[in-house]
Amino acid sequence: NALVVDLTTVAGNDLDLTCISLVKEFISLNHGSSEDDNQCRVVIVKSGSIHSLARRLYHAQRVITGAQSPEQRYTDGHSSIIGAVGVKQYRETIPFVVRKGDICVEVGCHLGTTTVEIDNAAKGGGDQNNSTSEVGGCLGVDVGSHIIKSAKKKYPHLSFE
Protein backbone atom coordinates (compact mmCIF):
# COMPACT_ATOMS: atom_id res chain seq x y z
CA ASN A 1 0.00 0.00 0.00
CA ALA A 2 3.01 2.29 0.19
CA LEU A 3 5.75 2.94 -2.29
CA VAL A 4 9.03 4.41 -1.07
CA VAL A 5 11.44 5.34 -3.83
CA ASP A 6 14.78 7.11 -4.18
CA LEU A 7 14.21 8.68 -7.57
CA THR A 8 17.78 9.87 -7.93
CA THR A 9 18.95 6.25 -7.81
CA VAL A 10 16.16 4.98 -10.07
CA ALA A 11 16.22 7.78 -12.66
CA GLY A 12 19.87 8.69 -12.49
CA ASN A 13 18.93 12.34 -12.04
CA ASP A 14 16.65 14.55 -9.96
CA LEU A 15 14.83 16.55 -12.64
CA ASP A 16 11.26 17.71 -11.92
CA LEU A 17 9.51 16.18 -14.92
CA THR A 18 11.50 12.95 -14.82
CA CYS A 19 10.56 12.45 -11.18
CA ILE A 20 6.90 13.27 -11.69
CA SER A 21 6.69 10.98 -14.73
CA LEU A 22 8.27 8.09 -12.86
CA VAL A 23 5.97 8.50 -9.85
CA LYS A 24 2.93 8.57 -12.17
CA GLU A 25 4.23 5.43 -13.92
CA PHE A 26 4.79 3.61 -10.60
CA ILE A 27 1.27 4.48 -9.47
CA SER A 28 -0.33 3.35 -12.74
CA LEU A 29 1.61 0.08 -12.69
CA ASN A 30 0.48 -0.53 -9.11
CA HIS A 31 -3.15 0.27 -9.88
CA GLY A 32 -4.67 -3.19 -9.54
CA SER A 33 -7.25 -4.70 -11.81
CA SER A 34 -9.67 -5.56 -8.99
CA GLU A 35 -10.73 -4.15 -5.64
CA ASP A 36 -8.99 -7.04 -3.86
CA ASP A 37 -5.56 -5.93 -5.13
CA ASN A 38 -3.38 -3.91 -2.79
CA GLN A 39 -3.48 -0.44 -4.29
CA CYS A 40 -0.83 2.17 -3.64
CA ARG A 41 -2.18 4.55 -1.02
CA VAL A 42 0.90 6.71 -0.57
CA VAL A 43 4.18 7.40 -2.34
CA ILE A 44 7.17 8.69 -0.39
CA VAL A 45 9.78 10.16 -2.70
CA LYS A 46 13.39 10.95 -1.90
CA SER A 47 13.87 13.81 -4.32
CA GLY A 48 15.13 17.31 -3.67
CA SER A 49 13.45 18.37 -6.89
CA ILE A 50 9.99 17.10 -5.87
CA HIS A 51 10.44 18.51 -2.37
CA SER A 52 11.24 21.95 -3.75
CA LEU A 53 8.42 21.79 -6.29
CA ALA A 54 5.85 20.68 -3.69
CA ARG A 55 6.57 23.75 -1.58
CA ARG A 56 5.61 25.93 -4.57
CA LEU A 57 2.39 24.14 -5.63
CA TYR A 58 -1.05 25.53 -4.81
CA HIS A 59 -4.53 24.26 -5.57
CA ALA A 60 -6.51 27.06 -7.25
CA GLN A 61 -9.64 26.50 -5.15
CA ARG A 62 -7.62 26.92 -1.94
CA VAL A 63 -6.23 30.22 -3.28
CA ILE A 64 -9.71 31.42 -4.31
CA THR A 65 -11.21 30.62 -0.89
CA GLY A 66 -8.29 32.23 0.94
CA ALA A 67 -7.15 28.98 2.57
CA GLN A 68 -3.72 29.42 0.94
CA SER A 69 -1.83 32.44 -0.29
CA PRO A 70 1.14 32.13 -2.64
CA GLU A 71 2.40 35.45 -1.26
CA GLN A 72 3.06 33.86 2.15
CA ARG A 73 5.86 31.68 0.79
CA TYR A 74 7.50 33.95 -1.79
CA THR A 75 10.38 34.70 0.56
CA ASP A 76 12.86 32.38 -1.21
CA GLY A 77 12.39 34.02 -4.63
CA HIS A 78 10.90 30.93 -6.29
CA SER A 79 7.74 31.32 -8.37
CA SER A 80 4.50 29.81 -7.11
CA ILE A 81 2.65 27.30 -9.27
CA ILE A 82 -1.15 27.29 -9.09
CA GLY A 83 -2.98 24.32 -10.55
CA ALA A 84 -6.43 25.17 -11.92
CA VAL A 85 -8.97 22.95 -13.62
CA GLY A 86 -11.10 24.50 -16.34
CA VAL A 87 -11.31 28.02 -17.68
CA LYS A 88 -13.67 29.23 -14.93
CA GLN A 89 -11.32 28.28 -12.11
CA TYR A 90 -8.30 29.51 -14.10
CA ARG A 91 -9.93 32.95 -14.44
CA GLU A 92 -11.13 33.03 -10.83
CA THR A 93 -7.51 32.95 -9.59
CA ILE A 94 -6.57 36.16 -11.44
CA PRO A 95 -7.74 38.69 -8.81
CA PHE A 96 -5.93 36.74 -6.09
CA VAL A 97 -2.52 36.59 -7.74
CA VAL A 98 -2.15 39.30 -10.42
CA ARG A 99 -1.26 42.64 -8.86
CA LYS A 100 -1.34 46.16 -10.20
CA GLY A 101 1.91 46.80 -12.07
CA ASP A 102 2.56 43.13 -12.90
CA ILE A 103 3.88 42.40 -16.38
CA CYS A 104 2.20 39.18 -17.52
CA VAL A 105 2.23 36.76 -20.45
CA GLU A 106 -0.64 34.40 -21.13
CA VAL A 107 0.62 31.44 -23.15
CA GLY A 108 -2.22 29.77 -25.02
CA CYS A 109 -4.38 32.91 -25.02
CA HIS A 110 -6.74 31.72 -27.78
CA LEU A 111 -9.08 34.64 -28.58
CA GLY A 112 -7.88 36.78 -25.68
CA THR A 113 -10.82 36.70 -23.25
CA THR A 114 -8.65 35.75 -20.28
CA THR A 115 -5.83 38.00 -21.51
CA VAL A 116 -8.22 40.94 -21.08
CA GLU A 117 -8.92 39.92 -17.47
CA ILE A 118 -5.22 39.53 -16.69
CA ASP A 119 -4.38 42.85 -18.37
CA ASN A 120 -7.17 44.55 -16.45
CA ALA A 121 -5.90 43.21 -13.11
CA ALA A 122 -2.29 44.16 -13.93
CA LYS A 123 -3.35 47.70 -14.79
CA GLY A 124 -5.36 48.10 -11.60
CA GLY A 125 -8.89 47.36 -12.81
CA GLY A 126 -11.34 49.58 -14.57
CA ASP A 127 -12.91 49.31 -18.00
CA GLN A 128 -11.31 46.66 -20.21
CA ASN A 129 -10.80 49.22 -23.00
CA ASN A 130 -9.63 52.05 -20.77
CA SER A 131 -7.29 50.76 -18.07
CA THR A 132 -6.28 52.99 -15.16
CA SER A 133 -2.51 52.49 -15.32
CA GLU A 134 0.17 52.59 -18.00
CA VAL A 135 2.32 50.27 -15.87
CA GLY A 136 1.71 46.53 -16.06
CA GLY A 137 -0.34 44.56 -18.51
CA CYS A 138 -0.56 41.27 -20.34
CA LEU A 139 0.76 39.95 -23.65
CA GLY A 140 -1.31 37.15 -25.18
CA VAL A 141 0.62 34.42 -27.00
CA ASP A 142 -0.70 31.53 -29.09
CA VAL A 143 0.65 29.23 -31.81
CA GLY A 144 -2.16 29.79 -34.31
CA SER A 145 -1.67 32.85 -36.50
CA HIS A 146 -5.40 32.94 -37.37
CA ILE A 147 -6.25 32.87 -33.66
CA ILE A 148 -3.88 35.78 -33.00
CA LYS A 149 -5.40 37.77 -35.88
CA SER A 150 -8.87 37.22 -34.40
CA ALA A 151 -7.70 38.22 -30.91
CA LYS A 152 -6.09 41.40 -32.26
CA LYS A 153 -9.31 42.26 -34.08
CA LYS A 154 -11.48 41.56 -31.03
CA TYR A 155 -9.18 43.38 -28.55
CA PRO A 156 -7.14 45.93 -30.54
CA HIS A 157 -5.97 47.69 -27.36
CA LEU A 158 -3.99 44.58 -26.26
CA SER A 159 -0.81 42.99 -27.58
CA PHE A 160 -0.94 39.49 -29.08
CA GLU A 161 1.86 37.48 -30.67
Side-chain angles (χ1 to χ4, degrees), residues 46-66:
K46 179 184 169 274
S47 166
S49 176
I50 295 291
H51 174 76
S52 176
L53 187 62
R55 293 174 50 89
R56 298 169 38 206
L57 289 172
Y58 295 86
H59 186 285
Q61 192 58 42
R62 294 184 56 79
V63 172
I64 293 165
T65 62

Side-chain angles (χ1 to χ4, degrees), residues 40-161:
C40 189
R41 178 182 49 79
V42 64
V43 178
I44 301 171
V45 180
K46 179 184 169 274
S47 166
S49 176
I50 295 291
H51 174 76
S52 176
L53 187 62
R55 293 174 50 89
R56 298 169 38 206
L57 289 172
Y58 295 86
H59 186 285
Q61 192 58 42
R62 294 184 56 79
V63 172
I64 293 165
T65 62
Q68 285 184 313
S69 172
E71 300 299 320
Q72 294 170 342
R73 289 196 218 155
Y74 188 68
T75 57
D76 61 0
H78 289 98
S79 300
S80 299
I81 302 166
I82 301 170
V85 178
V87 175
K88 183 180 183 291
Q89 190 177 63
Y90 174 67
R91 289 179 182 158
E92 285 176 346
T93 63
I94 294 167
F96 297 96
V97 296
V98 177
R99 297 179 291 194
K100 182 178 180 179
D102 281 351
I103 298 168
C104 308
V105 176
E106 184 188 18
V107 179
C109 67
H110 198 63
L111 295 177
T113 306
T114 305
T115 309
V116 170
E117 292 186 31
I118 298 167
D119 187 75
N120 212 21
K123 288 184 176 171
D127 184 320
Q128 69 179 19
N129 292 311
N130 191 13
S131 297
T132 61
S133 172
E134 293 301 317
V135 179
C138 186
L139 167 68
V141 178
D142 207 295
V143 295
S145 60
H146 63 285
I147 292 173
I148 293 299
K149 285 179 187 174
S150 297
K152 286 179 176 181
K153 184 176 180 181
K154 189 172 183 178
Y155 303 108
H157 63 288
L158 294 179
S159 298
F160 293 96
E161 298 293 325

Side-chain angles (χ1 to χ4, degrees), residues 3-7 10-11 19-31 40 43 45:
L3 170 65
V4 181
V5 61
D6 180 346
L7 283 176
V10 174
C19 294
I20 291 169
S21 295
L22 283 171
V23 168
K24 286 179 71 176
E25 186 67 24
F26 286 141
I27 291 170
S28 70
L29 288 172
N30 181 260
H31 189 56
C40 189
V43 178
V45 180

